Amino acid sequence: MFKAQKSPVSAQAPRAQLDLPGSLRKVDSSASIWSGSTGSRVSIDEQVPAVSHFVHQLENAVNIRVEDDEEPVTVPSFLLRAVQLYNERRALAYKYDGKWEEWTYGQYYQEVVHAAESFIMLGLNPHESVGIACSNSPMYFISALAAVFAGGIFVGITCTNVKNILLHMLRECKVNIMVVDSHKNINQILDIWSDLPSLKAIVNADVCANLYHTNPRIYLWRDFLKLGLELPSAKLSHRLNMLAPNRCCAVFYPFVNHDTTFLPNGVMVSHDNLTYMAQLLVRKFISEYPDLDTLNEFRLMSYLSLNSPFALILEMLVPISLGGLVSFADQNALKGTLALTLREVKPHVFCGTVFVWALLQKRLFKRIRQMSCFRGQLLLLARNKSLQSFYRRLVKSEGSSMFRPGKFVSYVTNKVKRKLGLSCCKLFLSYDGSLKVETLEFFISLGIPIIELFTSTLLSGPHSMGGYCQYQMGSVGKELNGFTSKFTEKKGKNRKMYAKGRHVCMGILHQVNLHVMDHEGYVYTGISAYKGRHDFLYTCSDLKEVLILDNGCTVAYPPIENLFKDTLPIVSHCMLVGHMRSFAAILLTLKSEVCPTTYKPTKILARSVQIWLRQRGTNATTVSEIIQKKSTSVYEAIEDAIISVNKNLKHQSAWILKWRVLPIEFSLLDGELDPITMELRRDIISKKYKDVIDGIYSS
């Protein structure tokens, strides 16, 4: 597929060899640095003492629920096993200056080791972090693994334009070193560096960069790799000795909203969360496609956002387990180059979000419309036969695969898959939401049967996953081995789902007051779901997005609420009400200051709101003053915003007719915001402000 090229990174600095087994397997018994140790360990894969299943500090350890024969392992041990088995195999491929550059597993390991030594030289402390704000590339993988080898933690950082959010993430994780790949990101970090006492250096991971920065603490990638050459190997061994499978390995911030003033929560995952899930996924993939384990070279393309544990496991750790090759798409993959890279890579597994599959469907529809009449009719005939064959097998399937198209259908659909670069692909996966039945049918008709899976913010990987031998349209499959679910006692299908298993994350960073795990070890998944026939799981997350009025009109919450906040910038939250009522109304909260000790919103208006009010002749400083005096400028602005929003609604029956300003902002600690998704918890807010809502409809 690729022409082997010498890596530009590897060519810059000579590498000292490291004794692989000795550094990772032998633990110095004198290095008992964990709190409350009762003795020495014989391997870094042995757990350190812990007292809880859920923690809130980076240095804490958790109890792992080992309920099967899979022994916990650390990420360095996981990589070492691959190096010992697949040392000469290709591991990474990256298009650099129009040519594919490659790393074997041996070179991959050496890059990680020397990056880890360089991190230590730059001042990375044990149990503190390396922040990574890069697009998908070998440098991302190397930096993440090197941070762990050096006894630290890696954190995927979204460089948002909102400074207080970026500052919060870097402070909360005690980021010592930032790895970035653009000057824009460097400038964003420089703007807040003075407020980050723990930050010691920035590494520019753009291998094309040649210009040195005036700040001596900003390093080019090639110079960074040379820093650790003088470090005694004993120091790296000492850092490795500190690792344990039940200690924190990474922190993820999956919900970073560029337009919100709410600070995101960091989800901590342990070594075992990542390595166990990787091995479980490999077993699941092999059960669906047995030949996967015997391939000369497993291939996968990395393009998904690595700010979620599942994407990182799928694209970084699953290939390591199989000794496979990861090829990286460029930054414009979703803007038009995705199919081009897929045709070069020819992956064996392809995973997309709901958005990606919808985007592919849209582009394929466009291509189909451009076909000649004969080709179009031929494809239509093949698609109809493919779909009919699928439904026949779905009805009478008894454990065999439901996707066995005939020769004619295969001939036609294989041409489509070759155009997409999916001719070698055996598993098609979808996550991050439920696909529409129309989308599933469209791809099934093209010989691309999509397996849906369900994962959540507080889970390191899929809780459930479908399969080709047990397939239910619209279902996210059955729970994976060892995982269990429970539901609220509320009757019907729209019940909150809770998950338990070894994939549950080890905690939410610094959020001691957020009780997201119950006494049985179940965590809330953030969605509503139910179990259907044969215990297949079906998610119902879309049900809570619609308001139904008593006239039968359905109103979608998110578009209207987001439009209202965009129209009136002083509003922090708004919530549509009126389920089974005669008209829609809206509850509003104004932006206010947050108490620095309790983190709860106060009644004092935010500085930006006070400035906005003064510009309109109002000197109010609290929400109470505005409500009591019925501030003319504020009330007129709200009325104008409602008129503007109503103009954008298709049906007059969905118009917002009344509104109320609430005395205080919605709060995470008061239970009004979901601790996982930061979405409104509408049922709790409705109960809390029942009198206000009843007053709207009685007046």
Side-chain angles (χ1 to χ4, degrees):
M1 178 184 59
F2 307 116
K3 291 182 179 179
Q5 300 285 335
K6 196 174 183 181
S7 164
V9 179
S10 301
Q12 297 298 328
R15 301 293 183 226
Q17 295 299 311
L18 188 72
D19 177 23
L20 306 187
S23 298
L24 286 174
R25 281 302 180 194
K26 295 178 182 177
V27 177
D28 180 5
S29 60
S30 65
S32 300
I33 51 83
W34 52 86
S35 177
S37 173
T38 58
S40 62
R41 298 183 299 157
V42 296
S43 165
I44 62 170
D45 294 334
E46 187 178 326
Q47 298 184 54
V48 295
V51 295
S52 174
H53 292 293
F54 211 71
V55 297
H56 305 282
Q57 301 296 329
L58 294 175
E59 61 273 12
N60 291 156
V62 290
N63 284 322
I64 298 174
R65 292 185 174 87
V66 181
E67 298 173 353
D68 52 24
D69 296 330
E70 197 72 57
E71 289 297 324
V73 296
T74 57
V75 169
S77 290
F78 197 76
L79 177 60
L80 175 64
R81 291 178 185 180
V83 174
Q84 291 171 333
L85 290 171
Y86 314 114
N87 187 58
E88 297 302 322
R89 280 197 190 180
R90 299 185 298 174
L92 308 173
Y94 183 62
K95 210 164 193 177
Y96 171 78
D97 199 21
K99 296 180 181 178
W100 286 99
E101 311 288 348
E102 295 178 355
W103 285 253
T104 65
Y105 273 92
Q107 292 169 333
Y108 187 10
Y109 178 85
Q110 290 299 320
E111 294 285 328
V112 169
V113 167
H114 290 286
E117 292 170 335
S118 296
F119 280 145
I120 295 172
M121 287 294 287
L122 286 176
L124 175 62
N125 296 319
H127 310 303
E128 297 191 358
S129 304
V130 173
I132 307 175
C134 299
S135 56
N136 298 29
S137 67
M139 282 58 74
Y140 192 114
F141 284 16
I142 291 166
S143 298
L145 291 168
V148 178
F149 269 63
I153 295 156
F154 69 88
V155 187
I157 297 290
T158 300
C159 274
T160 166
N161 292 324
V162 184
K163 287 185 179 180
N164 69 318
I165 292 180
L166 183 58
L167 194 62
H168 163 74
M169 291 189 290
L170 300 185
R171 275 179 177 169
E172 187 176 59
C173 294
K174 302 176 184 176
V175 172
N176 294 164
I177 301 157
M178 277 297 299
V179 180
V180 301
D181 62 356
S182 73
H183 288 292
K184 178 185 176 183
N185 289 349
I186 290 175
N187 290 333
Q188 286 177 314
I189 304 300
L190 285 174
D191 286 344
I192 59 173
W193 200 337
S194 59
D195 297 320
L196 295 168
S198 64
L199 184 61
K200 300 171 184 179
I202 296 175
V203 178
N204 187 351
D206 182 1
V207 294
C208 299
N210 290 311
L211 296 176
Y212 288 91
H213 200 278
T214 53
N215 190 322
R217 293 195 290 171
I218 299 178
Y219 299 85
L220 295 179
W221 181 259
R222 58 176 177 269
D223 298 326
F224 158 72
L225 287 176
K226 297 176 184 177
L227 295 175
L229 294 177
E230 302 301 322
L231 186 78
S233 60
K235 284 197 174 183
L236 182 58
S237 296
H238 176 69
R239 291 294 181 91
L240 287 164
N241 291 342
M242 298 180 182
L243 303 181
N246 57 335
R247 278 206 160 117
C248 185
C249 176
V251 178
F252 294 90
Y253 287 93
F255 291 102
V256 178
N257 190 327
H258 294 255
D259 300 316
T260 184
T261 55
F262 280 90
L263 303 178
N265 290 325
V267 178
M268 301 189 295
V269 297
S270 66
H271 289 258
D272 183 70
N273 283 147
L274 298 179
T275 57
Y276 176 77
M277 199 69 237
Q279 293 174 89
L280 189 61
L281 280 176
V282 167
R283 289 198 297 272
K284 177 65 175 175
F285 290 171
I286 292 173
S287 72
E288 294 298 327
Y289 178 53
D291 292 341
L292 201 66
D293 199 28
T294 59
L295 290 171
N296 290 330
E297 183 178 68
F298 171 74
R299 297 188 298 272
L300 187 138
M301 188 182 76
S302 174
Y303 78 101
L304 296 170
S305 169
L306 298 174
N307 280 358
S308 78
F310 168 66
L312 185 115
I313 290 168
L314 177 68
E315 296 188 348
M316 187 173 81
L317 296 182
V318 166
I320 288 175
S321 182
L322 290 167
L325 171 66
V326 181
S327 303
F328 295 88
D330 63 32
Q331 296 181 25
N332 298 314
L334 297 181
K335 297 179 182 178
T337 64
L338 181 63
L340 293 173
T341 311
L342 282 171
R343 284 197 290 271
E344 290 186 83
V345 174
K346 296 183 177 65
H348 292 110
V349 174
F350 178 76
C351 182
T353 61
V354 172
F355 168 76
V356 170
W357 287 113
L359 187 65
L360 285 175
Q361 183 183 14
K362 181 180 177 181
R363 289 175 181 171
L364 282 170
F365 266 134
K366 185 178 179 181
R367 294 290 294 272
I368 291 171
R369 285 195 294 267
Q370 293 172 349
M371 285 182 172
S372 65
C373 183
F374 174 73
R375 286 175 178 269
Q377 289 296 321
L378 196 66
L379 180 60
L380 182 61
L381 178 62
R383 288 178 58 200
N384 287 336
K385 282 184 174 292
S386 177
L387 206 53
Q388 289 169 8
S389 172
F390 161 73
Y391 276 116
R392 279 198 303 270
R393 290 181 177 275
L394 185 62
V395 171
K396 57 186 179 182
S397 174
E398 301 265 343
S400 60
S401 176
M402 282 160 271
F403 305 96
R404 293 181 181 177
K407 290 183 179 180
F408 166 69
V409 173
S410 296
Y411 175 77
V412 176
T413 56
N414 282 345
K415 285 196 169 187
V416 176
K417 288 197 277 189
R418 276 197 296 272
K419 286 285 186 183
L420 287 173
L422 299 175
S423 57
C424 295
C425 196
K426 305 301 179 183
L427 294 173
F428 306 92
L429 309 176
S430 175
Y431 79 110
D432 198 27
S434 298
L435 289 170
K436 295 179 180 178
V437 173
E438 295 81 4
T439 303
L440 289 168
E441 289 182 334
F442 173 78
F443 282 104
I444 287 171
S445 72
L446 294 174
I448 302 175
I450 302 171
I451 294 176
E452 293 190 89
L453 53 88
F454 169 71
T455 186
S456 174
T457 309
L458 292 183
L459 307 177
S460 64
H463 180 68
S464 67
M465 183 174 169
Y468 292 145
C469 293
Q470 292 183 317
Y471 191 90
Q472 288 292 321
M473 184 73 77
S475 168
V476 292
K478 297 181 179 181
E479 293 106 328
L480 294 177
N481 185 40
F483 301 162
T484 56
S485 310
K486 76 173 183 179
F487 304 87
T488 52
E489 295 180 1
K490 181 180 175 182
K491 293 183 179 180
K493 295 181 177 180
N494 189 15
R495 300 188 299 164
K496 290 182 179 179
M497 187 175 86
Y498 296 78
K500 178 183 177 181
R502 205 162 151 182
H503 61 326
V504 171
C505 77
M506 64 182 294
I508 299 179
L509 190 57
H510 300 320
Q511 297 298 325
V512 181
N513 295 325
L514 292 183
H515 302 292
V516 296
M517 179 181 283
D518 66 15
H519 67 281
E520 295 179 275
Y522 285 90
V523 295
Y524 177 44
T525 60
I527 59 112
S528 297
Y530 68 96
K531 276 191 178 181
R533 189 183 174 201
H534 301 309
D535 288 334
F536 280 91
L537 279 173
Y538 295 83
T539 60
C540 315
S541 54
D542 55 324
L543 295 179
K544 59 184 179 182
E545 301 294 322
V546 177
L547 176 76
I548 303 175
L549 302 177
D550 65 359
N551 57 12
C553 179
T554 58
V555 184
Y557 292 123
I560 296 176
E561 291 171 349
N562 291 336
L563 180 60
F564 195 98
K565 287 189 286 186
D566 290 341
T567 306
L568 192 59
I570 63 170
V571 172
S572 61
H573 284 106
C574 54
M575 188 181 97
L576 278 177
V577 296
H579 184 68
M580 299 309 295
R581 305 263 193 169
S582 55
F583 59 87
I586 194 165
L587 303 179
L588 310 171
T589 65
L590 303 181
K591 293 179 181 177
S592 60
E593 298 289 344
V594 176
C595 177
T597 55
T598 64
Y599 295 103
K600 287 188 176 183
T602 65
K603 293 187 177 182
I604 301 172
L605 293 167
R607 182 173 176 79
S608 59
V609 177
Q610 293 185 36
I611 293 172
W612 186 91
L613 290 171
R614 282 198 293 271
Q615 291 172 347
R616 288 158 180 78
T618 301
N619 293 320
T621 57
T622 64
V623 182
S624 304
E625 290 179 62
I626 290 175
I627 296 174
Q628 291 169 3
K629 297 179 181 179
K630 296 186 177 181
S631 172
T632 305
S633 58
V634 175
Y635 279 40
E636 286 179 353
I638 293 172
E639 291 285 356
D640 291 341
I642 288 175
I643 292 170
S644 176
V645 169
N646 286 342
K647 286 179 181 178
N648 287 278
L649 301 181
K650 292 182 180 179
H651 304 290
Q652 187 173 344
S653 55
W655 279 10
I656 301 169
L657 300 185
K658 290 188 178 182
W659 53 272
R660 290 289 185 275
V661 177
L662 299 179
I664 197 163
E665 269 193 279
F666 299 142
S667 167
L668 184 69
L669 296 177
D670 288 338
E672 295 155 328
L673 300 176
D674 191 288
I676 302 173
T677 63
M678 298 300 291
E679 294 175 350
L680 299 177
R681 300 180 76 171
R682 299 177 188 276
D683 52 346
I684 292 176
I685 295 171
S686 297
K687 288 179 183 177
K688 184 174 181 178
Y689 294 102
K690 183 179 183 298
D691 293 340
V692 176
I693 296 171
D694 290 342
I696 291 175
Y697 293 97
S698 62
S699 60

